[in-house]
Amino acid sequence: MTRRPLIAGNWKMNGLAADGTALASTLAGKMKGGSDHPFNMLVCPPFPLIGKVVDAVAGSGIAVGGQDCHMAEKGAHTGDTSAWILKDAGCDYVIVGHSERRTDHAETDETVKAKAEAALAAGLRVIVCIGETLQQREAGQTLEVNRSQFQGSLPDGATPENTVIAYEPVWAIGTGLTATPGQAQDVHAAIRAEIKGKLGDAAAEGMRVLYGGSMNPGNARELIGQPDIDGGLIGGAALKADDFWGIAESC
Ligand code: PGA
């Protein structure tokens, strides 16, 4: 297995410039303090902090990403940001289809796919989020929901190099409820089977599938230790350098 874990921090709508730059600088210091880390690290700050965070992590190997992008390259879309603008600002990645975007902004799989394709066209790597709600899990629809979101949201042209999938059970996000390693592994294995069916053996072997939902330094090792879990998309615990670094160290 050659997949290198990705430890990705989704800061959401948190942090002012001083907080974000301090967090990014601390992480950059920890990264530079060692060599041959067995993981890749990514931070996704709010849009206005991207430039400052790019400067703060320069030379550390930490990548910076956006939390969303528009599907168009440019134009009359007040308040939106394009993948090309993110790329120009120094981003390497963008998250699309987070459940908070799907809920707050009524994003459909079709929207998410179009955004992911814009990201790839702009030369970004994309993290495509999928995940079931509690109601769907209780109704026994977990695998079906994740399969259908995967199929509907995966960008054309996806490869293991340019696309990462994040499985984030909605009921586990910011709630302190984490999927058990077994629950998460079951879904990750099903997603990998979908990747195989759609893109073939090599892509299934190489594409990273992250877990997200109340990951913390206490539960990360067991989650990331599952055969089909290739890192984490981390919200709350990504806002504290020691917690985020602790998760990375569990790799
Ligand atoms: P959480 O968020 O770690 O705070 O649960 C994860 C996410 O929404 O990406």
Side-chain angles (χ1 to χ4, degrees), residues 10 12 98-100 168 172-175 212-215 233-237:
N10 173 12
K12 308 192 180 184
H98 191 282
S99 61
E100 287 152 15
E168 299 205 303
I173 296 178
T175 56
S214 298
M215 193 183 261
L233 180 56
I234 299 126

Side-chain angles (χ1 to χ4, degrees), residues 171-187:
W171 49 272
I173 296 178
T175 56
L177 297 173
T178 316
T180 64
Q183 282 174 325
Q185 167 57 26
D186 286 349
V187 181

Side-chain angles (χ1 to χ4, degrees), residues 10-81:
N10 173 12
W11 295 1
K12 308 192 180 184
M13 199 171 70
N14 293 296
L16 303 181
D19 310 308
T21 39
L23 176 53
S25 305
T26 305
L27 293 171
K30 288 177 185 286
M31 265 318 253
K32 287 181 191 162
S35 56
D36 292 338
H37 297 291
F39 54 81
N40 294 133
M41 183 170 273
L42 165 69
V43 292
C44 300
F47 289 144
L49 300 194
I50 284 173
K52 288 183 195 299
V53 170
V54 165
D55 290 344
V57 300
S60 70
I62 299 177
V64 179
Q67 299 173 14
D68 176 51
C69 66
H70 196 275
M71 62 184 77
E73 182 173 353
K74 59 184 173 186
H77 302 288
T78 303
D80 282 314
T81 296

Side-chain angles (χ1 to χ4, degrees), residues 2 37 73 99 119 141 147 154 186 197 200 206 230:
T2 54
H37 297 291
E73 182 173 353
S99 61
Q141 296 165 344
R147 280 194 195 110
L154 189 77
D186 286 349
D230 310 311

